[in-house]
Amino acid sequence: MADKLPLASDEHVLEPANLRDLNEPLIDHAEGQLFLTQAFNIIVEEVLCKGTDVKQKVCQWKEPEELAELLDLELREGGEGQQKLLQRVRDVAKYSIKTSHPRFFNQQFAGVDYHALAGRFLTETLNTNLFTYEVAPVFVLMEMEVLRGLRQLVGWTEGDGIFCPGGSTSNIYAMNLARYQLFPEVKSQGLYGLPRLAIFSSPESHYSVKKGAALLGIGTDNVIMVKVDDGGRMIPEDLDQKIELSKSQGAVPFLVSCTSGTTVKGAFDPLDRIADVCDKHKLWMHVDAAWGGSVLFSKQHRHLMKGADRANSVAWNPHKMLVAGLQCSALLLKDTTNLLKRCHSANATYLFQQDKFYDVNLDIGDKSVQCSRKVDCLKLWLMWKAVGSSGLAERVDKAFVHVRYLVEQMKKRDGFHLLREPEFVNVCFWFIPPSLRGKEGNADYQDRLAKVAPTIKERMMKQGTMMVGYQPLGNKVNFFRVIVFSPLVSQKDLDFFLNEIERLGDDL
Amino acid sequence: MADKLPLASDEHVLEPANLRDLNEPLIDHAEGQLFLTQAFNIIVEEVLCKGTDVKQKVCQWKEPEELAELLDLELREGGEGQQKLLQRVRDVAKYSIKTSHPRFFNQQFAGVDYHALAGRFLTETLNTNLFTYEVAPVFVLMEMEVLRGLRQLVGWTEGDGIFCPGGSTSNIYAMNLARYQLFPEVKSQGLYGLPRLAIFSSPESHYSVKKGAALLGIGTDNVIMVKVDDGGRMIPEDLDQKIELSKSQGAVPFLVSCTSGTTVKGAFDPLDRIADVCDKHKLWMHVDAAWGGSVLFSKQHRHLMKGADRANSVAWNPHKMLVAGLQCSALLLKDTTNLLKRCHSANATYLFQQDKFYDVNLDIGDKSVQCSRKVDCLKLWLMWKAVGSSGLAERVDKAFVHVRYLVEQMKKRDGFHLLREPEFVNVCFWFIPPSLRGKEGNADYQDRLAKVAPTIKERMMKQGTMMVGYQPLGNKVNFFRVIVFSPLVSQKDLDFFLNEIERLGDDL
């Protein structure tokens, strides 16, 4: 018959007397809310006030060993008092990078939007799961509306979509959908017996294309790299040739993953011309617009994505340029045949019961590979409501104006050498210290230049004045990539940026 | 030469005059912080006070059309005033499910912990990305420490791990690691030319095993279902036989995915005996302890996972029983050979530069398939610091005590029929309305019983008094599954639960 409840060995029995009164919940709301309010005040003071103040540091560099000790990370048997915990909140804030600081130029998640942040706090507190209408009525409907709004900007009046935990996941979903559309039997039978599949992308596309190919059992070798032009944009003629070549070698091309806003250069692949090639070969066209998608808000700059409406799928991360906050990534689909659900569904009867009293098409969870899925739409929705499409467009337009200003200023100064005129808001440049100027012909020039950016970076981090990234690319040695889009940035910050690079690098 | 910045067509040119002063950021901090503070107050009032008050409703049911209209979801060109936006915050809270309410028994994300919530607010505000020490110094170290703490509870003094956006992703990563360990060439070459791979799990395991097999190109047909006993636990002897059979059919078994705390019944697979089978056949043993893993905190109940230390990987979601908040899922690994990084890395030079001035082993991002990765460790760390391992153990122990009480009460009442004695904190039962009692022999008994749970569920949702899930399973018609673990629950809520089921169902 039925099992007994598991019995514990004697020495481990927890006597009921050791438990607090069963009628007294383990959480004290008054105490908890007091703590939360005090923590909120610290967060506002440390992260939102000091953390965005140009008179304060962007980062407080500590060596890992020292930092670990300062934070006292160890987890112990007993708990701690409220004051000590509040100090921990303060310490975590103090030693963390201030990504909202106007002088954080390091990556595509700079800045803060207070309406989005309020939406994030509300999301966290409501703590629900975006899989059924039953537990997330507001967010099921809201996600649909936000996806509709984003799709409209792509140029689609209908379609499908889903929020994913990051752009890589969005790109990988697109890959899986493209494969499923061509070979639906893969879902049940796997890739066994199928010919080798091939994906086409550019060497400047995001690394998630390769990670996805590895995860999906397609293999990174089967991601064929299409040549790019000087600006880092995929060359459609080479794409066509590579597809033909791949076919002639027995592979089955099924997906072209192009990019709107490449990670390093911010390049936009020529979507319209790539769409012609995809049409010709009947391939799924995916646009990784994780970074660049937000230009669609701007009347002035949306031409960069001309042809996006001809794609089958678009990945777009409002957590980047729109400052919605991590994580916020939408996969948008032109499909109207419920492909997303057919490809991903497992029809779990404990969650997606068909005899519910409401329309079970609102139980959207089976569209995802995830089960638990965080609500990522509210922050974007509330921010969009707050500033409107026009306000979001203004942010995009202003970022371009800032970049134009920065580029003009660089040209007026001796030490700044652009890789090329930026197409987007990534400005890639070398800083040439005085000692290297005019020495381009020297044998050790490239080696010495390669060491400039890392040294300047180390100095700026240790002094905490600002943050900007650098990297090599192809045959180009380390160069800086400054990302300018935070709505907190002003011209003064751009002037500071240039002066600071000179200050930190002039002696090199 | 270099491209020009893209030119807009004349009618779309945004004159500088239309932009606000470049020296004035687009975000007004004072205004933003005022909004955030007012929103915070609404959140506390609506979600944390009213939302946890048993005199208030768990849900405010609305038909989708009505709700969409009430929320005015449409996204428009222009922005809205602060007061209207605050009303929107209030509305979203009002119509959302109160998952922290003591009478939300629907799923494994009930309850609230204020320290975790403070950690979540801080995480959102710091808005950084867990991929490099450079941008997340505190969280790189903290994640390592939290993973170490969780691994110790599994019984490992060393190993690896990573936080994933949900248990499905953790399970899928384990699958990919197991495959890579056996066939490292899959990463570059894909599955072509390899024999058919086989995964072993039970029909009561989580659906992510099948979703993962589909995503990875292995195919759902190659997830072999091992028989379970009456309690829903995998039968090791059948596992052994199914592995032999699979081999004899030409497949290559590589992974056993067992479960600690199945979704519906809360069953714990016998890990020690499964480990013997995995040892015999040299298979990767993965434990999906997303739900049940938290018993490891309890001296009294950790025996349920005896043998977990013999596994290769364990997935554990502190966002479930520990109430850390969505999303918080850890994949723990016994591996010490950097398998996670070798399997997932793409070595992007723009992010994981090797010439940084600090130890680049701290740049953990390449262990993930994700690029952007949300910080999910802080909420758990702060909560753990607050109540200690002993406080978390108390929550687990108390949940078991509550379940014992609930089961005893059910046995005292006529209408409650347990599927079996619960092994964990899922209590599965049928409510038999008076009209059906003693009618088990009638031809239409099962059909009528199947309709009871959905009808009661509809009534409770429309009245908003509580929430509990139901489902069929195998040949068993719809039964309720009540999940009892929230630290906000008291015996009174359990009495209410039983009374309410009777009140809603006695006339059926």
Side-chain angles (χ1 to χ4, degrees):
Chain A
M1 257 300 290
D3 279 357
K4 289 283 168 91
L5 273 172
L7 286 175
S9 59
D10 276 349
E11 72 271 25
H12 288 148
V13 165
L14 192 67
E15 294 297 326
N18 290 343
L19 290 169
R20 302 179 207 179
D21 181 346
L22 280 176
N23 268 321
E24 197 182 303
L26 285 171
I27 302 282
D28 179 323
H29 287 289
E31 194 187 318
Q33 287 169 20
L34 176 64
F35 180 83
L36 189 67
T37 303
Q38 290 172 325
F40 175 80
N41 292 336
I42 292 171
I43 291 168
V44 170
E45 180 192 333
E46 291 289 332
V47 189
L48 297 170
C49 292
K50 285 193 206 163
T52 60
D53 180 354
V54 293
K55 294 188 292 297
Q56 303 278 336
K57 289 183 172 184
V58 177
C59 60
Q60 183 101 31
W61 174 259
K62 296 284 170 197
E63 295 295 333
E65 300 72 21
E66 188 189 355
L67 182 57
E69 207 176 302
L70 281 167
L71 293 170
D72 176 31
L73 290 168
E74 193 189 339
L75 298 160
R76 306 194 180 86
E77 190 63 20
E80 295 182 347
Q82 305 305 299
Q83 288 313 308
K84 190 158 186 184
L85 292 164
L86 289 171
Q87 184 58 44
R88 294 196 179 283
V89 169
R90 203 177 286 278
D91 287 346
V92 168
K94 182 176 175 185
Y95 296 110
S96 287
I97 304 301
K98 306 304 181 300
T99 63
S100 300
H101 195 289
R103 291 167 187 175
F104 179 83
F105 299 104
N106 211 65
Q107 263 128 349
Q108 292 97 327
F109 47 93
V112 64
D113 177 281
Y114 286 99
H115 296 103
L117 190 56
R120 295 161 78 186
F121 285 10
L122 181 54
T123 301
E124 295 298 316
T125 315
L126 286 168
N127 195 48
T128 198
N129 222 322
L130 202 30
F131 48 42
T132 62
Y133 186 75
E134 187 176 318
V135 295
V138 171
F139 302 124
V140 165
L141 300 177
M142 187 180 283
E143 183 172 90
M144 285 164 62
E145 190 61 31
V146 173
L147 289 169
R148 192 195 334 271
L150 295 174
R151 275 199 310 266
Q152 272 179 353
L153 289 164
V154 172
W156 296 333
T157 52
E158 50 185 7
D160 202 350
I162 195 161
F163 276 84
C164 297
S168 295
T169 306
S170 295
N171 288 338
I172 291 170
Y173 277 20
M175 210 173 270
N176 197 36
L177 292 167
R179 177 173 72 175
Y180 178 79
Q181 173 151 299
L182 195 61
F183 295 111
E185 66 271 30
V186 169
K187 184 176 177 181
S188 57
Q189 298 169 25
L191 287 166
Y192 315 106
L194 283 191
R196 189 163 55 83
L197 302 180
I199 294 167
F200 298 81
S201 197
S202 93
E204 306 210 2
S205 71
H206 190 255
Y207 66 72
S208 53
V209 180
K210 284 201 163 187
K211 289 205 176 191
L215 186 71
L216 267 64
I218 291 168
T220 54
D221 289 353
N222 296 311
V223 180
I224 314 292
M225 290 304 174
V226 179
K227 283 185 197 156
V228 292
D229 66 16
D230 280 355
R233 293 165 296 225
M234 188 186 280
I235 299 173
E237 293 73 18
D238 189 59
L239 171 63
D240 188 34
Q241 286 168 21
K242 292 263 164 67
I243 293 169
E244 295 286 4
L245 180 66
S246 175
K247 285 180 178 174
S248 74
Q249 293 167 338
V252 176
F254 76 105
L255 170 70
V256 177
S257 188
C258 31
T259 314
S260 290
T262 58
T263 313
V264 178
K265 290 185 187 161
F268 286 77
D269 286 342
L271 302 183
D272 235 349
R273 290 167 57 213
I274 291 172
D276 292 340
V277 181
C278 291
D279 281 351
K280 176 181 164 190
H281 295 281
K282 297 192 171 43
L283 303 189
W284 182 290
M285 176 175 166
H286 173 65
V287 181
D288 174 2
W291 173 221
S294 302
V295 299
L296 291 171
F297 274 101
S298 160
K299 290 189 176 65
Q300 195 177 0
H301 300 291
R302 65 166 66 134
H303 68 90
L304 288 165
M305 285 186 65
K306 188 167 178 299
D309 58 314
R310 297 177 63 191
N312 298 85
S313 53
V314 173
W316 178 354
N317 291 9
H319 72 224
K320 298 190 195 285
M321 197 166 194
L322 299 182
V323 200
L326 283 160
Q327 56 193 42
C328 191
S329 173
L331 174 66
L332 308 172
L333 297 169
K334 191 194 269 171
D335 173 76
T336 55
T337 69
N338 220 8
L339 182 73
L340 193 53
K341 189 167 177 183
R342 286 185 288 122
C343 178
H344 289 159
S345 63
N347 302 307
T349 53
Y350 77 90
L351 196 55
F352 306 116
Q353 305 93 317
Q354 295 303 300
D355 54 4
K356 287 182 180 177
F357 66 94
Y358 59 83
D359 176 4
V360 292
N361 287 315
L362 293 168
D363 289 354
I364 54 173
D366 230 7
K367 291 185 180 187
S368 177
V369 174
Q370 301 184 271
C371 175
S372 291
R373 186 163 65 92
K374 196 166 166 34
V375 173
D376 293 328
C377 57
L378 171 58
K379 50 198 165 196
L380 175 56
W381 181 81
L382 195 62
M383 176 175 73
W384 199 333
K385 279 285 194 189
V387 300
S389 303
S390 61
L392 297 175
E394 186 182 14
R395 291 188 190 172
V396 175
D397 289 334
K398 185 160 176 175
F400 276 88
V401 173
H402 272 147
V403 164
R404 208 177 308 175
Y405 173 80
L406 184 68
V407 165
E408 280 164 14
Q409 297 304 310
M410 281 185 175
K411 289 178 180 170
K412 290 179 186 164
R413 300 186 186 216
D414 278 344
F416 294 85
H417 187 78
L418 287 167
L419 264 75
R420 58 183 295 114
E421 291 284 332
E423 191 174 3
F424 191 31
V425 297
N426 310 29
V427 182
C428 296
F429 69 94
W430 287 283
F431 177 70
I432 320 285
S435 72
L436 281 178
R437 291 176 200 162
K439 307 283 171 60
E440 293 79 0
N442 290 12
D444 63 348
Y445 180 82
Q446 293 294 331
D447 287 346
R448 289 178 61 192
L449 183 58
K451 294 191 177 71
V452 171
T455 306
I456 293 178
K457 177 68 178 262
E458 177 173 0
R459 290 175 176 181
M460 78 174 70
M461 296 259 333
K462 289 190 170 167
Q463 297 178 30
T465 50
M466 65 180 192
M467 282 180 69
V468 59
Y470 73 86
Q471 63 283 302
L473 185 70
N475 60 358
K476 294 184 166 59
V477 300
N478 281 325
F479 54 89
F480 285 112
R481 176 197 62 164
V482 54
I483 307 278
V484 183
F485 72 97
S486 162
L488 305 189
V489 165
S490 70
Q491 267 188 14
K492 280 183 209 154
D493 300 307
L494 302 177
D495 293 334
F496 175 86
F497 175 83
L498 297 169
N499 293 336
E500 185 68 0
I501 291 278
E502 288 175 348
R503 185 182 75 82
L504 294 166
D506 260 354
D507 66 330
L508 295 175
Chain B
M1 259 298 292
D3 279 356
K4 289 284 170 92
L5 274 171
L7 286 175
S9 59
D10 276 348
E11 72 272 27
H12 289 147
V13 166
L14 192 66
E15 293 297 328
N18 291 343
L19 290 169
R20 302 180 208 178
D21 181 346
L22 279 178
N23 269 320
E24 198 182 302
L26 285 171
I27 302 280
D28 179 323
H29 287 288
E31 193 187 319
Q33 287 169 19
L34 177 64
F35 180 83
L36 188 67
T37 304
Q38 290 173 326
F40 175 80
N41 292 335
I42 292 171
I43 290 168
V44 171
E45 180 191 335
E46 293 288 333
V47 188
L48 297 170
C49 292
K50 286 194 205 164
T52 60
D53 180 353
V54 293
K55 295 188 291 299
Q56 303 278 338
K57 290 184 174 184
V58 177
C59 60
Q60 183 101 32
W61 174 260
K62 296 286 171 194
E63 295 295 335
E65 300 71 21
E66 189 189 354
L67 181 57
E69 206 175 304
L70 280 167
L71 294 169
D72 178 29
L73 291 168
E74 193 189 337
L75 298 160
R76 305 194 180 87
E77 191 61 21
E80 294 182 348
Q82 304 305 298
Q83 287 314 309
K84 189 158 187 184
L85 292 164
L86 288 171
Q87 184 57 44
R88 295 196 179 282
V89 169
R90 202 177 285 278
D91 288 345
V92 167
K94 180 176 177 183
Y95 296 110
S96 287
I97 304 300
K98 306 304 181 298
T99 64
S100 300
H101 196 288
R103 292 167 186 175
F104 178 84
F105 299 104
N106 212 64
Q107 263 129 347
Q108 291 98 326
F109 47 93
V112 65
D113 177 281
Y114 286 98
H115 297 103
L117 190 56
R120 296 160 79 185
F121 285 10
L122 180 54
T123 303
E124 295 297 317
T125 314
L126 286 169
N127 195 48
T128 197
N129 222 321
L130 202 30
F131 48 41
T132 61
Y133 186 75
E134 185 177 318
V135 296
V138 171
F139 302 124
V140 164
L141 300 178
M142 186 180 283
E143 184 171 89
M144 285 164 63
E145 190 61 33
V146 173
L147 289 169
R148 191 195 334 271
L150 296 174
R151 274 198 312 265
Q152 272 180 351
L153 290 163
V154 172
W156 296 333
T157 52
E158 50 183 7
D160 202 352
I162 195 161
F163 276 84
C164 297
S168 296
T169 305
S170 295
N171 288 338
I172 292 170
Y173 276 21
M175 209 173 270
N176 197 36
L177 292 167
R179 178 173 71 177
Y180 177 79
Q181 173 150 299
L182 195 62
F183 295 110
E185 66 270 30
V186 169
K187 185 176 176 181
S188 58
Q189 297 169 25
L191 288 166
Y192 315 106
L194 284 192
R196 190 164 54 85
L197 302 181
I199 294 167
F200 299 80
S201 197
S202 93
E204 306 210 2
S205 71
H206 190 256
Y207 65 72
S208 52
V209 181
K210 285 203 164 188
K211 289 206 177 192
L215 186 71
L216 266 63
I218 290 168
T220 54
D221 289 353
N222 295 312
V223 180
I224 314 293
M225 290 304 174
V226 179
K227 283 184 198 157
V228 292
D229 66 16
D230 279 356
R233 292 166 295 227
M234 188 187 282
I235 300 173
E237 294 73 19
D238 190 59
L239 171 63
D240 188 35
Q241 286 168 20
K242 291 262 164 69
I243 293 169
E244 295 287 5
L245 179 66
S246 175
K247 284 180 177 174
S248 73
Q249 292 168 339
V252 175
F254 75 106
L255 170 70
V256 178
S257 187
C258 31
T259 314
S260 290
T262 58
T263 313
V264 177
K265 290 186 187 161
F268 286 77
D269 287 341
L271 301 184
D272 235 348
R273 292 166 56 213
I274 291 171
D276 292 340
V277 181
C278 290
D279 280 351
K280 176 181 166 191
H281 295 282
K282 297 190 171 45
L283 304 189
W284 183 289
M285 176 174 166
H286 173 64
V287 182
D288 174 3
W291 174 218
S294 302
V295 299
L296 292 171
F297 274 100
S298 161
K299 290 188 177 65
Q300 196 176 359
H301 300 291
R302 64 167 69 135
H303 67 90
L304 288 165
M305 284 185 66
K306 188 167 178 299
D309 58 315
R310 298 177 63 191
N312 298 86
S313 52
V314 173
W316 179 354
N317 291 7
H319 72 224
K320 298 192 196 285
M321 197 167 194
L322 299 181
V323 200
L326 283 160
Q327 56 194 42
C328 190
S329 173
L331 174 67
L332 307 173
L333 297 169
K334 190 194 271 170
D335 174 77
T336 56
T337 69
N338 220 8
L339 183 73
L340 193 52
K341 190 167 176 183
R342 287 185 287 121
C343 178
H344 289 159
S345 63
N347 303 307
T349 52
Y350 77 91
L351 196 54
F352 306 116
Q353 305 93 316
Q354 296 302 300
D355 54 4
K356 288 182 180 176
F357 66 96
Y358 60 83
D359 176 5
V360 293
N361 287 315
L362 294 167
D363 289 353
I364 54 174
D366 230 7
K367 291 186 179 186
S368 177
V369 175
Q370 300 186 272
C371 176
S372 290
R373 186 162 66 92
K374 196 166 166 36
V375 172
D376 293 328
C377 57
L378 171 58
K379 50 197 165 195
L380 175 56
W381 180 83
L382 195 62
M383 178 175 73
W384 199 333
K385 280 284 192 190
V387 300
S389 303
S390 61
L392 296 175
E394 186 183 13
R395 289 188 192 174
V396 174
D397 289 334
K398 185 160 175 175
F400 276 88
V401 173
H402 272 149
V403 163
R404 209 177 307 173
Y405 174 81
L406 185 68
V407 165
E408 280 163 14
Q409 297 305 310
M410 281 184 175
K411 289 178 178 170
K412 291 179 185 162
R413 300 187 186 215
D414 279 345
F416 294 85
H417 187 78
L418 286 168
L419 263 75
R420 59 183 293 114
E421 291 284 332
E423 191 176 4
F424 192 31
V425 297
N426 309 29
V427 182
C428 296
F429 69 93
W430 286 283
F431 177 71
I432 321 286
S435 72
L436 280 178
R437 291 176 199 163
K439 307 283 171 59
E440 293 78 0
N442 290 11
D444 64 349
Y445 180 82
Q446 293 294 331
D447 287 347
R448 288 178 61 193
L449 183 58
K451 292 191 179 71
V452 171
T455 305
I456 292 178
K457 177 69 178 259
E458 176 173 359
R459 289 175 178 181
M460 78 173 71
M461 296 267 322
K462 288 190 170 167
Q463 296 177 31
T465 51
M466 66 180 191
M467 281 181 69
V468 59
Y470 73 85
Q471 63 283 300
L473 185 71
N475 61 358
K476 295 185 166 58
V477 300
N478 282 325
F479 54 89
F480 285 111
R481 176 197 62 165
V482 54
I483 307 278
V484 182
F485 73 97
S486 162
L488 305 189
V489 165
S490 70
Q491 268 189 14
K492 282 182 209 155
D493 300 307
L494 302 177
D495 293 334
F496 175 88
F497 176 81
L498 296 168
N499 293 336
E500 186 68 1
I501 292 280
E502 288 174 346
R503 185 182 75 81
L504 294 166
D506 260 353
D507 66 330
L508 294 176

